[in-house]
Amino acid sequence: MDLVHADLLPGRPAVTPAVLEQALHAGMGPEAGGCEVLASEDGTILGVVSYAVHAGDSTGMLRWLHCVEDEQHLADMLITHTLARLGRRTVHAYAEPTVLAPTGLPVRNRPGTRRALEACGFSATDHSRYLHHRLDTLSPRLYGIADLAPHPRGGWQLYLRERDGTRIGEARVSAPVDGAVVLEWLTLAPECRHLGHALLGKCLANLADRGIHHVTTCLNAPDDQPDHEAALHLHQAAGFTEVDQLHTYTRCP
């Protein structure tokens, strides 16, 4: 638990024993998979790694790894051990979201793990940018142009409209956990793109009025999102701060 919490990005809810239990057993398919702990001779927990084999194409997955970040050799040991367990196959690392974190390794906050992956032959792909906003800095205000409704698949759907009722945008956020949500997407009518800053601000204020303290979001990397810079500036103007870059990794046999 201590190792996981040391690696949590700002805006992520604390990991409970129940969440950790879910992370330990998720993705354990019938072909291969496991979660193994690295410990010293006196029983001190030094690191933990979760891995599995994808049922569809038999590729390996290093799902998540946590260790003392300043000790790169610990990450090296965990990664090398995982590769031996998975055998001769293509292995992807941090390629899927988990209950502990979004897709991708935060390379600024996890330099030891990043260097260990590279030393073990993994190649990086720039996946997204992780942004965070503390909503307790906003003044409580209710906006009549934003309606909040439960989403059928969980979380909330936020509808933005003109005062005459014309719908001009939508947003979806995850279900709140300890006052934190993930802004999964925001879309605006083409004729309202110039109002993006104002509409995003109203969306955030609406969430703040409902007791949400932290909002995070991931923006696709520039190569995958042509308007990345515009989207980044939009979120930054609304109060988001870029915390880290998230990279996925692949190692071919």
Side-chain angles (χ1 to χ4, degrees), residues 237-253:
F240 281 88
T241 300
E242 181 180 329
V243 175
D244 213 326
Q245 296 181 10
L246 303 181
H247 290 183
T248 58
Y249 291 84
T250 301
R251 182 184 186 274
C252 297

Side-chain angles (χ1 to χ4, degrees), residues 14-15 18 29 31 56 68 83 89 115 130 171 194 217 227:
V15 176
E31 183 172 350
V68 180
L83 293 174
R89 67 181 78 234
R115 290 192 297 267
Y130 181 89
H194 64 289
T217 193
D227 58 349

Side-chain angles (χ1 to χ4, degrees), residues 21-72:
E21 185 74 13
Q22 183 181 352
L24 291 173
H25 294 96
M28 300 298 104
E31 183 172 350
C35 188
E36 300 191 40
V37 170
L38 174 66
S40 63
E41 291 184 355
D42 64 3
T44 302
I45 303 299
L46 302 176
V48 59
V49 63
S50 173
Y51 59 90
V53 172
H54 196 282
D57 57 13
S58 294
T59 57
M61 297 181 292
L62 191 161
R63 303 182 64 251
W64 50 272
L65 179 157
H66 296 283
C67 62
V68 180
E69 191 59 34
D70 293 339
E71 303 290 344
Q72 181 185 329

